[in-house]
């Protein structure tokens, strides 16, 4: 029998979440972001679940080619662009669109001598300070691209740093919008600016294209809970109780003996650990659901097991069902307790975890 730890991927929830993105931005076309193996949900599943999207966006050239090989015929976008000049004939052959964020990439496009055209997304650094041209260099980059015969359409794009915190004191959302609009004024081409947070909280910023990511998988980008945004969890990580210990007051649980029991306690051992993608740094008190009852993690997370408090769940036994996150236990709540993001938990799902659809 396989180990009882299972990640169930809910394709219907992914489809529902895509519909929320469309409802928020009805006049925009939607890139379904499927980078990082569709945020841990599986590239092929992402392609199927987001069949109604106008295009799929990711960062891995080989994964983009795989989408074509699996039958995806709509647009595909490389959000970080290509990495080496030999990538360019591959993009042209498979009609894969690419971000352009630096002069070195333009140099490579100029040298490549492509015989078929590609669409490019010229990226502006409007304040995130990761990738992109500064606003005062954006038009010159645009003109360089416009002069290359192999470049067909130029889409203008930027990425928001604080769409979930519009009045951030270091970089308000309005300032990024101002910089982008000022530097692109009068330039022809479609616009692409909104990520999940902007789609959900600032639909008025909707442009020609939007790029929802985490919201498609039922996680919140911030501001409100996923449920308050109307999103449904796309991944449920579940397991079972595989051991039970009756622990006396004053005894400790787990490696490092960091959790000392202050009263008699029933401890359940769950088949899930950091080698499965559960966060090793999750503290005592991280929420867990056992037999549909909320309880808490106690003791240090180990490679293959965690320990939970069963004292208030008299019906718990060997084989009792446990939900680590997903339906009935919001992934963002677990992530917040562990000092991280739901994004990381999804993407960290280990290869050894059995994955099913449901």
């Amino acid at each position: 029998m396989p180990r009882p730890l299972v990640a169930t991927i809910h394709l219907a929830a992914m489809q529902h979440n895509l519909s929320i993105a469309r409802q928020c931005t009805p006049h925009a076309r939607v890139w379904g972001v499927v980078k990082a193996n569709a945020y841990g949900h599986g590239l092929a599943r992402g392609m199927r679940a987001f069949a109604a999207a106008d295009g799929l966006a990711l960062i891995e050239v080989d994964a983009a080619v795989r989408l074509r090989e699996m039958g995806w015929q709509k647009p595909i976008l490389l959000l970080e662009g290509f990495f080496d000049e030999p990538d360019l004939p591959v993009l042209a052959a498979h009609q894969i669109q690419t971000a352009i964020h630096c002069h070195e990439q333009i140099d490579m496009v100029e040298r490549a001598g492509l015989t078929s055209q590609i669409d490019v997304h010229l990226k502006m650094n409007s304040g995130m300070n990761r990738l992109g041209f500064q606003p005062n260099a954006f038009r010159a980059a645009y003109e360089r691209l416009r002069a290359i015969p192999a470049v067909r359409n130029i889409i203008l794009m930027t990425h928001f740093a604080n769409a979930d915190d519009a009045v951030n004191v270091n970089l308000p959302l309005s300032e990024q919008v101002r910089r982008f609009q000022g530097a692109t004024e009068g330039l022809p081409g479609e616009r692409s600016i909104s990520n999940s947070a902007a789609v959900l909280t600032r639909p008025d910023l909707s442009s020609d294209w939007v790029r929802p990511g985490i919201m498609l998988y039922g996680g919140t980008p911030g501001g409100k809970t996923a449920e308050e945004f109307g999103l449904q969890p796309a991944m449920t990580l579940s397991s079972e109780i595989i051991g039970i210990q009756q622990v006396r007051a004053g005894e400790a649980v787990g490696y490092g003996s960091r959790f000392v029991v202050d009263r008699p306690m029933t401890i359940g051992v769950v088949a899930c650990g950091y080698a499965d993608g559960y966060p090793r740094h999750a503290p005592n008190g991280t929420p867990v659901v056992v037999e549909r009852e909320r309880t808490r993690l106690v003791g240090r997370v180990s490679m293959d097991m965690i320990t939970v408090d069963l004292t208030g769940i008299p019906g718990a036994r060997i084989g009792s069902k446990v939900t680590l996150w997903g339906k009935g236990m919001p992934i963002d709540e677990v992530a917040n307790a562990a000092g991280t993001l739901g994004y990381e938990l999804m993407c960290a799902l280990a290869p050894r975890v059995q994955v099913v659809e449901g």
Side-chain angles (χ1 to χ4, degrees):
M1 294 294 291
R3 190 159 169 255
L5 182 64
V6 177
T8 303
I9 307 302
H10 312 291
L11 299 187
M14 296 164 72
Q15 293 165 348
H16 167 83
N17 297 335
L18 175 61
S19 74
I20 295 293
R22 286 210 181 276
Q23 290 170 27
C24 291
T25 56
H27 303 297
R29 282 173 286 174
V30 178
W31 291 108
V33 179
V34 292
K35 62 182 179 177
N37 196 29
Y39 286 56
H41 295 67
L43 186 63
R45 295 186 194 93
M47 187 184 81
R48 289 162 49 210
F50 305 140
D54 299 290
L56 297 178
L58 68 175
I59 66 168
E60 308 91 349
V61 176
D62 59 336
V65 172
R66 197 154 64 248
L67 285 173
R68 288 288 187 235
E69 292 171 343
M70 290 189 295
W72 183 263
Q73 297 180 356
K74 296 181 187 179
I76 299 173
L77 169 62
L78 294 175
L79 292 166
E80 289 183 2
F82 59 94
F83 302 102
D84 294 295
E85 192 169 330
D87 291 336
L88 283 165
V90 176
L91 304 192
H94 295 280
Q95 280 302 290
I96 296 167
Q97 301 180 30
T98 179
I100 297 286
H101 59 75
C102 62
H103 287 293
E104 289 79 3
Q105 287 179 319
I106 300 179
D107 294 341
M108 287 187 273
V109 177
E110 288 174 333
R111 292 194 302 262
L114 297 176
T115 57
S116 57
Q117 291 186 310
I118 59 172
D119 292 339
V120 303
H121 294 239
L122 182 59
K123 188 164 189 177
M124 181 188 297
N125 173 13
S126 59
M128 174 74 92
N129 287 318
R130 295 191 312 188
L131 301 178
F133 292 91
Q134 293 288 341
N136 60 7
F138 194 76
R139 286 176 182 265
Y142 180 95
E143 294 303 329
R144 284 191 67 192
L145 286 169
R146 189 69 287 159
I148 301 173
V151 172
R152 183 171 45 226
N153 296 308
I154 304 175
I155 295 88
L156 314 179
M157 71 181 295
T158 194
H159 191 64
F160 294 138
N162 303 305
D164 60 326
D165 180 18
V167 293
N168 185 283
V169 295
N170 295 314
L171 183 63
L173 177 62
S174 60
E175 176 59 18
Q176 284 197 266
V177 173
R178 185 193 68 78
R179 293 175 187 177
F180 180 77
Q181 291 178 339
T184 61
E185 185 177 1
L187 288 180
E190 297 177 337
R191 271 64 171 165
S192 172
I193 60 174
S194 292
N195 55 6
S196 286
V199 166
L200 290 167
T201 65
R202 290 296 305 273
D204 58 302
L205 294 178
S206 173
S207 51
D208 300 286
W209 288 89
V210 293
R211 308 186 304 273
I214 188 63
M215 68 171 291
L216 299 182
Y217 304 94
T220 178
K224 294 193 292 188
T225 68
E227 185 177 11
E228 288 171 327
F229 283 126
L231 304 172
Q232 298 176 3
M235 176 192 293
T236 297
L237 185 64
S238 58
S239 189
E240 295 180 2
I241 299 294
I242 61 170
I244 294 177
Q245 298 289 337
Q246 301 299 329
V247 180
R248 295 172 296 180
E251 293 188 325
V253 176
Y255 283 121
S257 301
R258 74 174 190 176
F259 180 80
V260 178
V261 175
D262 61 0
R263 62 188 185 282
M265 185 175 289
T266 303
I267 297 294
V269 181
V270 181
C272 180
Y274 62 76
D276 302 298
Y278 197 87
R280 184 180 182 275
H281 51 280
N284 296 322
T286 298
V288 180
V289 170
V290 178
E291 293 291 357
R292 300 182 181 179
E293 297 285 341
R294 288 176 66 101
T295 184
R296 56 179 178 144
L297 174 76
V298 294
R300 182 170 290 163
V301 175
S302 55
M303 181 179 286
D304 309 305
M305 291 173 277
I306 61 172
T307 43
V308 300
D309 181 5
L310 298 181
T311 305
I313 310 175
R317 54 179 176 75
I318 301 292
S320 284
K321 301 301 180 183
V322 178
T323 301
L324 287 312
W325 63 67
K327 290 188 175 181
M329 183 67 259
I331 192 170
D332 296 301
E333 193 172 337
V334 178
N336 289 340
T340 186
L341 299 170
Y343 305 63
E344 183 179 11
L345 301 189
M346 294 176 189
C347 294
L349 188 71
R352 75 175 186 173
V353 177
Q354 180 187 183
V355 180
V356 301
E357 297 177 11

